[in-house]
Structures are given as structure tokens and as C-alpha cells.
């Protein structure tokens, strides 16, 4: 049973041999009771002492060994296990890309899980552009990342109710505009995912290519700027036929 919790076969035999006796044992007696080779006995005993499962003392010139109660060992194993689990929970594994390739995704659920992963792993910044029904799926996670100190900026087409500090809402102003849903997320100025609908299905690219990340970062702020301009001066700008046509191409 002890071997299931990281003890070797020899360690298990030695512990059981000592625990089964009422009195402390010397190394020679432990060899006889445990069937562990004499050449290995001190090495095994030292490992058990380091694990806190065997105690030692001197009796005259002889060293004696006594086993820690099994219930105490169970408590120690449980405590160590729970500590390791907590450390594992806080260990951050970067499962993002580190090359210049452009990777493609063609499944909506896969795209969603990749966006969620990118948000969760963000260390410093998140830029996110999406239609409000898509962005709502990640709203709580985005708010949590901002609370952790990550700089978050979102541009939601159609608006979004959120506590985020840096939020922009693009409300379509042209009645005949045909909106094409898309999602753009840029994390830590390194990782990018851009998704859109093609032939009624979501498709996406994911990359760490620096030129593409830089260009799409500019694209994000380009749309933020247009959003703010049209919000403030939209009624006036749309009176000009040429400007209205250009805005329709750029924003919608």
C-alpha cells in the first residue's frame, strides 16, 4: 500500500518490519525481519528518516530505529498531497505558440476554447474585439483578469454591460449595413487569434507572427478610433455622402 504513495519496495518492507515490533530495532534485526539486503539497509533507513516515517536514537554505541505511527504517516501523506495540488493549481503553463507560423482553426467550440485559454494566460494586456453575444461569454473572465492587474480593452459591437474600465461600444448607425461577425483577441502584444464567418461557419487563424500581431493591433485601435469618432460626430459625418460610404466600408 505504501508503494502507491511513493515508497519503494525496500522502504515498505523496512517500515513494516519496524512497525510490526513492539521495541526499537537495530539495523541487523531490521535486515532479518525485512529481508532487505544488508548492503542496502542504511540507505533505505536514511530515506525513511528523511521522509519522517522512521525515528532514530543512540542506545550506547548502537543506533536504534522506531517506526512512526501509521495514522501519522497517513496525515502527512494527505497534507503533502494537498500542498502539491495547491502548487499545481497555481503553476502556469504557457500552451501558446512560439513560432511565426499561422495556424488555422475551423470549429466554433475550438475557437471559443482557444480564446478562453488566451484570456486565462494573459500576463499584461488583452485587446478584444467581438460582437456582444460572443464577448458576453468571456465577460466575467475579462473582469477577473482586470482585477488581477491585466490591462484589458474591449470593443463590443452592439454594446456590452460590464465593469471593465476600458470598454468601447460600436452601435451600427447605417440601417442597410451588413454586419459580418468577427472576433479579434491580442494578448500580451504577442499572441493573436482572429476569427470570422466563412460559408456560414466560424474559421480562425492563430499566430505569434510579430508583423501580423502589430498590424492587427493597429486594426483594433483603428476601429476604436472610428467608433469614438462616429459616436461623437456621426450625425454630422453621415450627412456627407462620400464620408458615409467610406465609413460603411471601414466599420461595417
Amino acid at each position: 500500500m505504501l508503494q502507491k504513495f511513493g515508497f519503494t519496495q525496500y522502504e515498505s518492507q523496512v517500515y513494516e518490519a519496524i512497525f510490526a515490533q513492539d521495541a526499537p530495532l537495530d539495523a541487523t534485526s531490521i535486515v532479518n525481519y525485512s529481508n532487505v539486503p544488508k548492503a542496502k539497509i542504511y540507505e533505505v533507513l536514511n530515506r525513511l528518516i528523511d521522509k519522517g516515517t522512521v525515528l532514530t536514537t543512540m542506545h550506547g554505541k548502537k543506533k536504534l530505529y522506531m517506526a512512526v505511527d501509521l495514522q501519522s504517516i497517513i496525515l502527512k501523506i494527505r497534507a503533502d498531497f494537498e500542498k502539491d495540488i495547491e502548487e499545481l493549481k497555481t503553476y502556469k503553463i504557457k500552451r501558446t505558440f512560439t513560432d511565426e507560423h499561422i495556424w488555422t482553426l475551423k470549429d466554433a467550440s475550438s475557437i471559443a476554447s482557444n480564446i478562453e485559454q488566451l484570456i486565462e494566460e494573459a500576463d499584461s494586456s488583452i485587446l478584444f474585439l467581438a460582437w456582444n453575444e460572443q464577448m458576453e461569454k468571456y465577460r466575467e473572465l475579462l473582469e477577473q483578469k482586470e482585477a488581477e492587474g491585466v490591462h484589458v480593452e474591449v470593443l463590443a459591437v452592439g454594446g456590452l454591460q460590464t465593469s471593465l474600465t476600458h470598454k468601447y461600444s460600436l452601435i451600427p448607425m447605417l440601417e442597410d449595413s451588413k454586419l459580418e461577425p468577427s472576433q479579434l483577441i491580442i494578448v500580451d502584444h504577442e499572441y493573436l487569434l482572429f476569427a470570422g464567418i466563412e460559408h456560414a461557419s466560424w474559421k480562425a487563424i492563430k499566430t505569434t507572427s510579430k508583423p501580423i500581431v502589430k498590424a492587427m493591433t493597429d486594426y483594433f485601435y483603428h476601429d476604436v478610433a472610428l467608433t469614438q469618432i462616429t459616436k461623437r460626430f456621426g450625425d454630422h459625418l453621415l450627412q456627407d455622402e462620400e464620408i458615409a460610404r467610406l465609413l460603411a466600408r471601414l466599420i461595417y
Side-chain angles (χ1 to χ4, degrees):
M1 291 296 294
L2 288 175
Q3 290 178 55
K4 293 182 179 180
F5 298 97
F7 288 74
T8 67
Q9 180 178 338
Y10 280 171
E11 289 170 353
S12 302
Q13 289 174 214
V14 167
Y15 175 82
E16 186 173 2
I18 302 173
F19 185 75
Q21 306 304 313
D22 293 331
L25 299 178
D26 60 17
T28 301
S29 300
I30 295 170
V31 170
N32 294 332
Y33 286 121
S34 67
N35 293 319
V36 171
K38 185 176 182 180
K40 292 284 186 180
I41 195 64
Y42 288 107
E43 176 187 339
V44 175
L45 284 168
N46 287 333
R47 290 205 302 266
L48 289 172
I49 292 169
D50 290 340
K51 289 183 176 181
T53 56
V54 167
L55 305 178
T56 183
T57 188
M58 294 299 299
H59 183 69
K61 294 183 178 181
K62 187 177 291 187
K63 184 176 284 190
L64 300 179
Y65 301 89
M66 182 176 68
V68 172
D69 183 82
L70 186 58
Q71 291 303 314
S72 297
I73 292 178
I74 292 172
L75 292 174
K76 181 179 184 302
I77 290 173
R78 179 180 290 130
D80 289 345
F81 179 79
E82 291 175 352
K83 179 175 178 291
D84 291 341
I85 287 293
E86 289 305 312
E87 289 181 359
L88 186 59
K89 285 180 180 178
T90 59
Y91 187 79
K92 179 173 278 189
I93 302 174
K94 283 286 187 182
R95 296 179 63 85
T96 46
F97 299 95
T98 57
D99 56 39
E100 294 291 306
H101 290 89
I102 298 174
W103 303 88
T104 58
L105 300 167
K106 295 186 178 181
D107 178 72
S109 60
S110 177
I111 292 170
S113 63
N114 272 267
I115 290 174
E116 183 173 349
Q117 179 189 357
L118 284 170
I119 295 172
E120 288 179 342
E121 295 181 348
D123 288 325
S124 59
S125 65
I126 299 170
L127 305 180
F128 192 16
L129 182 158
W131 266 237
N132 51 7
E133 59 266 27
Q134 276 89 41
M135 190 172 290
E136 176 62 31
K137 300 174 185 176
Y138 315 103
R139 178 179 54 79
E140 291 185 1
L141 183 56
L142 290 165
E143 292 170 349
Q144 176 186 325
K145 295 301 290 188
E146 183 177 70
E148 293 173 1
V150 175
H151 178 80
V152 179
E153 292 188 62
V154 299
L155 173 55
V157 179
L160 183 72
Q161 293 296 322
T162 176
S163 63
L164 291 170
T165 304
H166 305 284
K167 55 191 175 186
Y168 308 96
S169 297
L170 172 59
I171 308 300
M173 300 179 63
L174 303 179
E175 295 180 359
D176 59 346
S177 63
K178 294 182 180 179
L179 299 178
E180 297 182 357
S182 62
Q183 300 178 78
L184 168 65
I185 184 166
I186 302 168
V187 169
D188 298 340
H189 304 291
E190 293 184 65
Y191 310 104
L192 174 146
L193 184 147
F194 179 76
I197 292 182
E198 182 179 333
H199 304 302
S201 298
W202 279 99
K203 295 184 180 180
I205 62 169
K206 187 176 183 181
T207 186
T208 59
S209 173
K210 292 182 179 179
I212 296 177
V213 172
K214 175 63 168 62
M216 296 306 281
T217 299
D218 292 343
Y219 171 87
F220 175 85
Y221 284 113
H222 161 276
D223 273 12
V224 168
L226 286 175
T227 296
Q228 297 302 91
I229 291 170
T230 54
K231 182 183 295 184
R232 183 170 298 183
F233 306 108
D235 291 339
H236 176 71
L237 292 172
L238 292 177
Q239 293 176 12
D240 186 299
E241 183 178 339
E242 183 179 1
I243 292 178
R245 179 173 53 83
L246 289 172
L247 285 175
R249 294 181 62 186
L250 290 171
I251 302 178
Y252 307 119

